[in-house]
Amino acid sequence: MQRRIRLGMVGGGQGAFIGAVHRIAARIDDQYALVAGALSSDPQRARDSGAALHLSPERCYSDYHAMAQAEAARADGVEAVAIVTPNHLHAPVATAFLEAGIHVICDKPLGISLAEGQALAALAGQKNLLFALTHTYSGYPLLRHAKAMVEAGDIGELRLVQVEYSQDWLADAIAAGGMSEGNWHNDPHKAGPGGVLLDVGLHAYHLAQFVSGQTPQQVLAELSTFVPHRTLDDHVQVMLRYANGAKGTLWASQVATGCENTVRLRLFGSKAQLDFDQEQPNELWCTPQGGNRQLLRPGRVDSAAARHATRVPAGHPEGYLEAFAQLYLDAALRIRALQSGLPVPQAARWLPTVTDGVAGLAFAEAVLRSHAAGASWTTLAS
């Protein structure tokens, strides 16, 4: 029987939302054992956070460099590390672990600049290590089924793409200065040059690219900061042009009053339309041209992609945590294949990786350039 993959974590200490999500996701399919962590840069908080997760005291670090070096030297050292830090640390932490020969599973964005992302992609390739990126929504069974439908030609030629990620958690007024508002998300030194753009905007972009299978050639973008005293953007809207003539719109906002976590994708082809809203993740609507709207549900749709990402019988809801777990499962399959010298398993081929991260940063860089040029059409870097 294959043993669990030894997993480490950087960031995600006590009180951190996303660290707990990663740990739950890693446990759902029982492919990992969390054995070490640099859960905080504060030594006492690092020890306390590690103790709460039953880690051995000698494997609770407060410095990620020390963790990478120490774990690489151990016979039972971590084989993969989950990075759940603020954005500005993604690239330096990932670099330290890749240099140590350790696989990486990282929160998005890949980095805070396209140059950082390209350097990470080169290093991961040089080291022949997995670099997975946790674009959560690509783990949903119905979105994988939608991608399979698009690949099979079921919706015909793609004509229109509409994608939205809207929240309201930054809609309230803030005090002058405002740097502590939203924790690090409003600090350009930690979040990077984009606020909502590098946060949920990249999720929206990846989702559209993942399901449609197409990357826009040009963007026309406008960034807005609606709340006074905020440093970074809290709303972004983008027009998209594709090589085949298709058009698209993307908008992402964290000041969309009344929206909790609306992630919606609509694809319009010459044969049919697909419509998905992640707040109803067990529903995919397909409307054939001239036909009736059809509801597709997990456990009822029949595709290898959906079966691979479905864990429970029809009528038993699956959601965000299971979608996150799917990425960890696919990462485990790919890590085991690399360890055995085998090709990427077919079932895990849709795992977002460093390549997707570079594409996201190329999009963000083009959006920033377009906005700076007065919302003009701007070509994405190749």
Side-chain angles (χ1 to χ4, degrees):
M1 182 178 294
Q2 289 181 320
R3 58 172 176 76
R4 297 179 182 91
I5 294 168
R6 296 185 296 272
L7 180 68
M9 179 170 282
V10 177
Q14 291 177 325
F17 159 73
I18 200 63
V21 170
H22 276 257
R23 292 190 291 270
I24 293 168
R27 289 200 301 268
I28 284 179
D29 294 301
D30 204 24
Q31 295 295 306
Y32 300 86
L34 184 68
V35 297
L39 303 173
S40 173
S41 58
D42 176 82
Q44 187 59 53
R45 187 166 181 262
R47 287 190 293 270
D48 292 344
S49 298
L53 297 174
H54 315 291
L55 299 182
S56 299
E58 72 275 11
R59 301 183 79 174
C60 296
Y61 306 87
S62 57
D63 182 287
Y64 66 84
H65 286 289
M67 175 180 167
Q69 294 167 7
E71 291 296 319
R74 295 179 64 116
D76 62 348
V78 300
E79 298 161 279
V81 64
I83 301 174
V84 293
T85 64
N87 298 351
H88 72 297
L89 290 173
H90 289 182
V93 174
T95 299
F97 281 88
L98 290 172
E99 292 284 10
I102 295 167
H103 301 286
V104 170
I105 302 170
C106 185
D107 247 1
K108 61 88 204 117
L110 180 59
I112 59 173
S113 72
L114 179 57
E116 278 191 348
Q118 291 169 333
L120 287 173
L123 181 58
Q126 174 191 336
K127 296 288 187 178
N128 194 30
L129 292 167
L130 175 68
F131 196 124
L133 202 65
T134 53
H135 276 298
T136 318
Y137 306 102
S138 63
Y140 280 116
L142 287 177
L143 283 174
R144 293 195 170 197
H145 184 70
K147 180 175 177 64
M149 291 179 68
V150 172
E151 288 191 353
D154 292 347
I155 72 166
E157 182 181 5
L158 183 67
R159 291 175 174 171
L160 302 173
V161 176
Q162 293 185 348
V163 64
E164 162 195 349
Y165 199 141
S166 51
Q167 301 173 319
D168 68 357
W169 72 284
L170 294 181
D172 295 330
I174 59 176
M179 291 304 295
S180 62
E181 177 272 341
N183 196 2
W184 54 267
H185 292 84
N186 195 41
D187 183 348
H189 299 293
K190 295 182 177 180
V196 69
L197 172 63
L198 289 182
D199 193 4
V200 299
L202 287 190
H203 271 314
Y205 176 73
H206 177 262
L207 178 58
Q209 186 181 32
F210 174 76
V211 180
S212 73
Q214 295 200 35
T215 301
Q217 287 188 325
Q218 291 184 308
V219 300
L220 185 153
E222 182 180 45
L223 299 171
S224 300
T225 305
F226 281 100
V227 175
H229 310 307
R230 177 161 292 137
T231 307
L232 295 171
D233 55 280
D234 51 27
H235 179 89
V236 59
Q237 51 198 35
V238 188
M239 295 176 64
L240 311 168
R241 285 177 175 169
Y242 293 85
N244 75 333
K247 310 297 183 183
T249 59
L250 177 154
W251 72 279
S253 183
Q254 290 173 325
V255 295
T257 309
C259 293
E260 294 178 341
N261 198 63
T262 302
V263 186
R264 189 178 184 190
L265 175 68
R266 301 173 75 192
L267 298 181
F268 300 81
S270 56
K271 295 180 180 179
Q273 173 207 138
L274 293 176
D275 187 351
F276 178 85
D277 179 350
Q278 88 86 33
E279 290 188 1
Q280 305 296 329
N282 294 281
E283 297 180 358
L284 172 66
W285 291 93
C286 177
T287 308
Q289 171 62 20
N292 296 315
R293 200 167 186 236
Q294 303 168 3
L295 175 61
L296 309 180
R297 296 181 64 89
R300 299 286 190 180
V301 297
D302 187 26
S303 67
R307 288 194 298 274
H308 175 58
T310 302
R311 292 167 177 76
V312 298
H316 294 73
E318 291 185 272
Y320 176 78
L321 292 174
E322 290 85 356
F324 221 113
Q326 188 60 41
L327 305 187
Y328 268 89
L329 174 60
D330 288 345
L333 292 173
R334 292 181 70 152
I335 289 170
R336 295 189 195 284
L338 283 167
Q339 290 173 336
S340 302
L342 298 174
V344 172
Q346 182 74 2
R349 71 191 186 282
W350 286 346
L351 173 71
T353 67
V354 67
T355 302
D356 298 279
V358 171
L361 290 173
F363 166 74
E365 188 260 355
V367 166
L368 290 166
R369 283 192 289 120
S370 173
H371 173 73
S376 62
W377 283 107
T378 303
T379 301
L380 272 70
S382 57

